């Protein structure tokens, strides 16, 4: 699905009536797809201000008292001036500096494939959103990434533009029917380095079907090992990252993800209920470590849906950082309309609106994950 074309009046036209004649022109609409279109961000980035310290002395008509008049001085970038009294200007300046730090930054390749399961049994905390956007950010940076969608809802498949109707071979066939993973994966249409193993509605019954199967907890892990061998035999590049998007439960599908992974990435919504769910999740991970996968570690915690206007969000963030100082990323994912809109266009926010605050935050989180993996 293509993103619809928005038409908005140019900012210059909005303010043209001030200081002009009574004749008002009708604001002209512009097309975002036109090559001469200037985005809102570009307007703010190139906005200039006058230096208030520069003035010129003029004399009045009688030649007596000097009059100090402002003269247009050398224009300076708006981000060179900090105006604490303006929250908007402060935010724009902060985002500009964050983008400059990411500009031209090359993400390191891990020494071996990093298998990460994105899990939290509490729903609505941003598991799928985190999975697809971090995967997209890493793939755009040139790394080879595989996303495995084992959530019966198939939201990760939707966000990455992959077909996942009932007739499509999916991760269900891999887990239940021993179909090779190589026969299931599809390439994301927006990002070449990103491949996806889609989920279908058949996964809803997989929990029951897995109960009677041999090595039921190991099936995803074995499929991934065979896929790695397949890529090697066919001269394909080694995968750098594998992300497994889990359902909001602790059933056999999630257990398969924990056994297949080496790391757990936990998205935590900045609300009180998230802290309650985290303690239960950690207990379940400890059980997996003792009985099924001793290599599993909680390597990354990402704070999502952060609203800096509330004390609660700050308190939750502080509490989590205090208890998990080495796991919590410095990057925070804010509440963002762009992040919510992107899936309706079958895109990640990285490809939907790369200049948005949400995209910037996920790019920072991806860079932090990549750099932590090399330490």
């Amino acid at each position: 699905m293509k993103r619809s074309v928005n038409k908005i009046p140019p900012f210059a036209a909005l303010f043209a009536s001030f200081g002009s004649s009574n004749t008002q022109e009708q604001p002209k609409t512009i097309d975002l797809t036109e090559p001469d279109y200037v985005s809102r961000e570009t307007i703010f980035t190139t906005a200039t201000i006058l230096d208030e310290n520069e003035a010129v002395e003029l004399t009045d008509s009688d030649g007596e008292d000097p009059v100090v008049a402002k003269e247009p001085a050398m224009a300076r970038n708006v981000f060179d001036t900090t105006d604490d009294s303006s929250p908007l200007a402060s935010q724009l300046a902060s985002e500009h500096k964050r983008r400059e730090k990411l500009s031209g930054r090359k993400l390191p390749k891990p020494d071996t494939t990093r298998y990460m399961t994105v899990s939290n049994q509490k729903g609505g905390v941003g598991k799928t959103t985190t999975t697809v956007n971090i995967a997209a950010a890493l793939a755009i940076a040139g790394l080879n990434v595989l996303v495995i969608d084992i959530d019966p809802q198939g939201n990760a498949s939707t966000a990455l533009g992959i077909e996942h109707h009932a007739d499509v071979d999916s991760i269900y066939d891999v887990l239940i029917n021993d179909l090779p993973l190589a026969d299931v994966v599809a390439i994301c249409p927006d990002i070449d380095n990103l491949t996806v193993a889609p989920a279908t509605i058949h996964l809803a019954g997989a929990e029951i079907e897995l109960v009677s199967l041999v090595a039921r907890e190991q099936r995803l892990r074995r499929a991934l090992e065979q896929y790695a061998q397949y890529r090697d035999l066919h001269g394909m590049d080694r995968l750098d990252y594998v992300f497994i998007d889990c359902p909001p439960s602790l059933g056999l599908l999630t257990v398969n993800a924990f056994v297949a992974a080496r790391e757990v990435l936990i998205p935590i919504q900045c609300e009180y209920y998230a802290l309650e769910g985290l303690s239960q999740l950690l207990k379940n991970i400890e059980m997996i470590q003792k009985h099924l996968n001793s290599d599993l570690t909680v390597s990354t915690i990402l704070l999502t849906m952060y609203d800096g206007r509330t004390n609660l969000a700050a308190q939750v963030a502080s509490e989590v950082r205090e208890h998990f100082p080495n796991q919590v990323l410095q990057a925070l994912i804010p509440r963002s309309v762009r992040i919510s809109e992107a899936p309706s266009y079958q895109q990640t926010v990285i490809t939907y609106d790369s200049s948005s605050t949400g995209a910037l935050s996920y790019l920072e989180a991806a860079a932090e994950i990549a750099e932590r993996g090399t330490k």
Side-chain angles (χ1 to χ4, degrees), residues 34-49:
E34 290 297 322
D36 59 348
Y37 166 69
V38 180
S39 68
R40 179 182 179 216
E41 182 179 359
T42 305
I43 291 173
F44 278 122
T45 304
T46 57
T48 56
I49 58 174

Side-chain angles (χ1 to χ4, degrees), residues 50-58 67-73:
L50 299 180
D51 191 338
E52 295 181 356
N53 295 325
E54 295 189 27
V56 59
E57 286 192 1
L58 303 175
V67 179
V68 178
K70 296 293 181 183
E71 179 184 79

Side-chain angles (χ1 to χ4, degrees), residues 49-350:
I49 58 174
L50 299 180
D51 191 338
E52 295 181 356
N53 295 325
E54 295 189 27
V56 59
E57 286 192 1
L58 303 175
T59 56
D60 61 9
S61 56
D62 296 330
E64 296 178 355
D65 297 332
V67 179
V68 178
K70 296 293 181 183
E71 179 184 79
M74 295 219 26
R76 292 184 288 124
N77 193 304
V78 70
F79 296 114
D80 295 335
T81 300
T82 303
D83 182 8
D84 294 335
S85 64
S86 172
L88 178 59
S90 178
Q91 180 183 348
L92 289 170
S94 174
E95 288 186 12
H96 179 72
K97 291 175 183 176
R98 288 161 61 193
R99 286 192 177 88
E100 281 187 334
K101 290 178 70 175
L102 287 173
S103 179
R105 195 169 174 181
K106 187 174 181 180
L107 301 186
K109 277 181 171 283
D111 296 331
T112 59
T113 303
R114 294 180 67 183
Y115 295 88
M116 305 184 74
T117 182
V118 184
S119 180
N120 192 329
Q121 80 272 18
K122 185 180 183 303
V125 299
K127 290 187 300 296
T128 298
T129 302
T130 294
T131 301
V132 298
N133 284 295
I134 288 182
L138 292 169
I140 288 173
L143 302 174
N144 295 307
V145 183
L146 168 65
V147 171
I148 296 179
D149 187 359
I150 61 169
D151 186 348
Q153 298 176 85
N155 294 146
S157 305
T158 299
L160 295 172
I162 305 298
E163 289 188 358
H164 58 100
H165 53 77
D167 297 328
V168 172
D169 289 335
S170 69
I171 199 68
Y172 168 85
D173 300 287
V174 174
L175 295 174
I176 306 300
N177 301 323
D178 295 322
L179 188 69
L181 190 58
D183 295 344
V184 168
V185 295
I187 297 176
C188 175
D190 296 320
I191 308 168
D192 293 337
N193 293 340
L194 181 56
T195 53
V196 185
T200 61
I201 193 62
H202 297 309
L203 272 178
E207 296 275 3
I208 299 172
E209 296 180 69
L210 280 169
V211 171
S212 60
L213 296 181
V214 177
R216 60 191 182 187
E217 301 94 350
Q218 307 281 340
R219 299 182 77 83
L220 181 57
R221 181 170 188 164
R222 292 181 180 179
L224 283 169
E225 290 171 351
Q226 292 171 4
Y227 182 61
Q229 294 171 3
Y230 171 87
R231 292 181 69 97
D232 188 45
L233 287 173
H234 288 78
M236 301 170 71
D237 292 335
R238 169 181 64 83
L239 288 171
D240 296 307
Y241 288 87
V242 175
F243 290 96
I244 307 172
D245 183 34
C246 295
S249 66
L250 295 172
L252 278 172
L253 290 175
T254 302
V255 170
N256 263 271
F258 283 146
V259 174
R262 304 294 180 273
E263 304 176 51
V264 182
L265 191 166
I266 306 176
I268 298 180
Q269 185 180 5
C270 292
E271 293 185 2
Y272 175 75
Y273 287 141
L275 298 179
E276 274 192 331
L278 179 60
S279 60
Q280 183 61 41
L281 177 62
L282 294 175
K283 289 178 183 177
N284 284 280
I285 291 173
E286 286 179 7
M287 291 179 62
I288 299 293
Q289 291 170 331
K290 288 179 181 178
H291 302 291
L292 294 170
N293 184 5
S294 59
D295 297 329
L296 188 66
T297 60
V298 178
S299 65
T300 311
I301 295 175
L302 178 63
L303 299 171
T304 62
M305 303 182 188
Y306 183 81
D307 188 345
R309 299 170 299 177
T310 65
N311 290 331
L312 177 61
Q315 289 170 359
V316 171
S318 176
E319 191 80 12
V320 176
R321 290 189 190 281
E322 182 180 345
H323 286 85
F324 305 97
N326 299 322
Q327 288 86 1
V328 182
L329 297 180
Q330 292 301 313
L332 289 167
I333 308 303
R335 289 190 178 275
S336 168
V337 174
R338 284 289 185 262
I339 292 176
S340 301
E341 283 178 350
S344 65
Y345 295 93
Q346 296 187 353
Q347 293 186 53
T348 65
V349 73
I350 308 294

